[in-house]
Every structure is written in C-alpha cells, then in structure tokens.
Amino acid sequence: MKLNSDKILPILTLIAMIASLAAVLLLAPTEKTMGDVQRIFYFHLACAAAAFVSFTCVFIASIGFILRRETVWDHLAASAAEVGVLFTTLVLVTGPLWARPVWGQWWVWDPRLTTTLILWFLYTGYLVLRRAIPGYRGAMAGAVFAILAYVDVPVVYFSVSWWRGIHPQVLRGGGGLDPGMVFPLLISVTALLLLSGVLIRERLNLANAADCVDRIAVALEDMES
Amino acid sequence: MKAAYAIFRKDLLLELRGKEIVITLTVFAFLVLTVFSFSAVPGSTAPREMAPGILWITFLFAGILGLGRAFDRERENGCFTGLLLAPCDRMQVYWGKCLSTLVLLMIFQAILWPIFGILYRYSPIKGVGVAWAGIVLGDIGFVALGVILSAVTIHARGREIILPLLLLPLSLPVLVGGVRVLTLALGGGSGDQALTWIGRLAAFDVIFLVLGSVLFPLVVEE
C-alpha cells in the first residue's frame, strides 16, 4: 500500500485518537473530588476547541466566498458548519453529563452554557438557511449570515457574561490544572482537531463531487435536447 | 440620504393609507401580553416581576411579524426588484427600510405602552425616559439585524419560519440589554447601571448597523 497525502491525515488522526484515549483513561490522574467523571473534561474541552476552529473556518471561508465568488469557498463554509454543529452538539451533551454529578443539575443558565447553546442555534439556523435557498443565492445568503453569526457570538458572550457565571475557567483563570493533566488534554485536543480536519476535508470532497455530478447531468441533458 | 428618505416616506405613506401593520401588531402584542398573564398561577406576583422580559419578548415577536409583512409587501408585484433597480446606492435601500421599520415599531410600542402599564400595574410615567431610551436603542439593533436577515431570507422556501429561526438568536444581545434597562427603569434602580446598559446597547447598534450596511448590498445583488 502506497501512502499518499490523502491517507496520511486519517491515519495520523486514528493514531492520535487511540493515544488520547490511552492518555485520558490510563495516564491522567484521577481528580480528587470529582473522581473519574472529570475525565469527560478532556473530551469536552477538545470538542469545544474543534467546534470553535470549525466555526472560524466557516467565517474565513464565507469572507473568501464574498471576495472571490468561487463555489469551493462556499463548499468549505458549508462543510465546516456541519462539522462545527456536530462538535457543538457533543459539547452540549458531554457538558451536562459532567454537570449532573458535579453541580447536581443537568443545566444552569450560565453565560458560557447559554452562549454555547446560542452558537448551536445560530449554526443550525445556518444549515437550515442553506437548504432553503438553492444555488448562488443560497451561497451568498449563507456567507452573509455566517459573518453575522460569528460576530454575534462574542457580543452575546459579553452581554450575557456581564450577568453571572459558574462555568470553570480552566485555562484563563488558572483553575489549578494538575501538571499530569496537561499532556492528556493536549493530546485529546490535537486528536479532535485532526478529526475535525479530516471530516471537513471529506465533506468538502463530497460537496465538490456532488457539484461535478450535477454539472455532468446538466451537460448530458443539453446533449440530449 | 435622499433615496433612503424617499423609501422611508413611501413606506410610511403606504402605512398611513392602510394602517395595516401598526393595527395588526398592536392587537397581536395586546393578545400576547394577555396570554402571558395566564401562564402564572392566579394571584402570584410572577407576571409583574417578569414584566420587562414579557414586554421585550412581545416586541420581538411582533417585530418579526412586522418585518415579514413589510417585506411581503415588497415581494408582491416584484416591488423589491424595482427598488433595487432604483439609481441609488443599495446601502440607502437598507437605511430607508431600517428607518421605516423602526418608526412603525415605535408607533406600535407607543400605543402598547399604556396598555402594558395598566395590565402589569406599572406607572406609564415613572422612569419613562430611561425605559424609552432602552426601547429605542434596542429597536435600532433589532431593526438593523431584522432588515438584513429579511433580505437574506427573501428567496428562501418557508421564509416565515426561517426568519425567526435566524433572527431570534442573533438579536439576543438586544434582548438582554433591553430587558436590563427596562427592569432598572421600572424598578427605579440606580441611574448609573441603566446608563452602562444604554451605552452597551448603543455599541450593539453601531456594530449591527455597520455590518448590515456593508452586507446588505451583497445579499441583494443578482
């Protein structure tokens, strides 16, 4: 089997994911008060990172589409949005799984939680919008909405966080991350970033292929008539 | 600005002849305010405490209906295409639409204000200045977002449902700020706090208006 660049990334991702599972389950120390439940955190934070990178990708690709008007930018934005929604969903599922034993409830209206949920609504809305308008118009409408949505997130974040908050601030607040936890965290973030990259690329290839098929179908119809 | 003013004047004249949007919105909002009062246990003070939030949600729902109606009018008989063919900067179309929607919203809110005061037992005069500063600034942000999103969804299948789906989460900052200012105004809280939130609302408005002005010409190009 010859290794080409198409295969290297998925293989790397697979290795990283296995390594992250091993690091999180075997290597990482058990948290004193929360116990094993805390291990969700490595996955939770890594999903959040992957979602954030995906949405940044949507934003950049949308600007790229507006400047260049090439479909490939639009396909990239749409693909990254789907992957971003997937990872945001995972963040919203793993968060409550951790919160239920630790906070004693599935959900609280904390700014971080609220804004993540809003993020999910915004990009689900983006996907719905994409489906509702076909063709170039849909691409442009999507690009414009993606820019509005991306800019709205920090605005929402600040407007809501001026209220109150209990979500742990692990990275900025210096919330006492054990040195032994840093490596498993880094490797699981790497693994999920790689995974999101693979998924976006696969989805992009699929979108380009679908486009190609459409064009061939149109050409065939023209030939028949 | 001349073209924006012309569009504004056209929309207002149209409304003045039919009074369709303002009357519909007022009756709808009156109904929503009434229905909300049923959501609480009889005799509880919950509706009064929730009043600022209830009023703002009513504004958002009615605002979405109003936007939908305003843009349906433009779609009928291909008026929107005509508007875009007008020899002026597309940004002016955006500003004109924003201005007319804003004024229509404010007219309906002014009619609703005393009704709200009576239903939820708030004096319509106490703190009215601060309250309306918040309402008007919130409206500007909502309209800035609403007009650009109406343009985004104008060709969408099932746009009646897609517009609120996109507009409600996007206008959350406006809702948060509007509710804060209204709560402080009705509760007679410290003026400083209200002023901070009024400043933030003004900042949201600037962000959304700038984004809307830049992005609107892109959405409507053919």
Side-chain angles (χ1 to χ4, degrees), chain A residues 10-183:
Chain A
I11 291 173
L12 266 179
T13 308
L14 186 66
I15 296 170
M17 287 185 75
I18 294 170
S20 77
L21 268 184
V24 168
L25 294 179
L26 307 172
L27 203 66
T30 308
E31 218 269 347
K32 216 195 308 180
T33 47
M34 298 182 226
D36 276 332
V37 174
Q38 186 264 342
R39 289 178 204 275
I40 291 175
F41 148 82
Y42 301 103
F43 189 57
H44 178 72
L45 192 142
C47 283
F52 186 74
V53 169
S54 304
F55 291 143
T56 309
C57 186
V58 180
F59 179 63
I60 293 170
S62 298
I63 293 176
F65 178 76
I66 285 173
L67 296 179
R68 291 285 172 82
R69 316 286 163 106
E70 288 158 0
T71 20
V72 62
W73 288 105
D74 175 52
H75 286 330
L76 179 61
S79 311
E82 283 182 15
V83 174
V85 168
L86 170 72
F87 280 109
T88 312
T89 311
L90 288 174
V91 170
L92 289 170
V93 171
T94 51
L97 286 179
W98 170 87
R100 173 71 188 166
V102 177
W103 287 344
Q105 40 209 320
W106 297 106
W107 185 264
V108 291
W109 293 105
D110 171 90
R112 184 67 70 84
L113 277 62
T114 313
T115 44
T116 312
L117 189 57
I118 290 297
L119 195 66
W120 188 86
F121 280 124
L122 284 174
Y123 284 91
T124 313
Y126 172 86
L127 294 179
V128 173
L129 176 68
R130 296 304 312 260
R131 275 170 186 271
I133 316 176
Y136 179 80
R137 271 178 180 161
M140 188 48 96
V144 165
F145 180 71
I147 291 171
L148 285 172
Y150 195 75
V151 172
D152 196 50
V153 172
V155 175
V156 171
Y157 184 75
F158 286 115
S159 72
V160 182
S161 72
W162 287 323
W163 238 316
R164 73 228 141 164
I166 61 165
H167 188 284
Q169 299 272 332
V170 182
L171 299 182
R172 271 182 304 160
L177 194 66
D178 186 271
M181 294 176 174
V182 175
F183 175 70

Side-chain angles (χ1 to χ4, degrees), chain B residues 113 126-132 179-190 194:
Chain B
W113 183 249
K126 206 183 118 203
V128 69
V130 179
W132 271 80
V179 172
R180 289 316 265 175
V181 174
L182 195 57
T183 310
L184 291 165
L186 292 178
S190 79

Side-chain angles (χ1 to χ4, degrees), chain B residues 12 15 22 26 102-112 132:
Chain B
L12 231 56
E15 179 61 27
V22 167
T26 312
L102 178 70
V103 169
L104 291 186
L105 268 188
M106 279 165 53
I107 294 173
F108 123 78
Q109 287 165 334
I111 303 173
L112 195 68
W132 271 80

Side-chain angles (χ1 to χ4, degrees), chain B residues 104-173:
Chain B
L104 291 186
L105 268 188
M106 279 165 53
I107 294 173
F108 123 78
Q109 287 165 334
I111 303 173
L112 195 68
W113 183 249
I115 301 178
F116 166 76
I118 292 165
L119 287 181
Y120 289 86
R121 286 179 284 123
Y122 278 108
S123 152
I125 297 145
K126 206 183 118 203
V128 69
V130 179
W132 271 80
I135 290 175
V136 172
L137 284 172
D139 283 353
I140 294 174
F142 175 76
V143 164
L145 282 170
V147 171
I148 177 85
L149 285 184
S150 299
V152 163
T153 54
I154 201 160
H155 297 295
R157 261 177 283 122
R159 54 183 291 276
E160 302 80 7
I161 183 68
I162 290 178
L163 179 63
L165 206 63
L166 304 180
L167 185 51
L168 281 178
L170 266 186
S171 48
L172 199 72

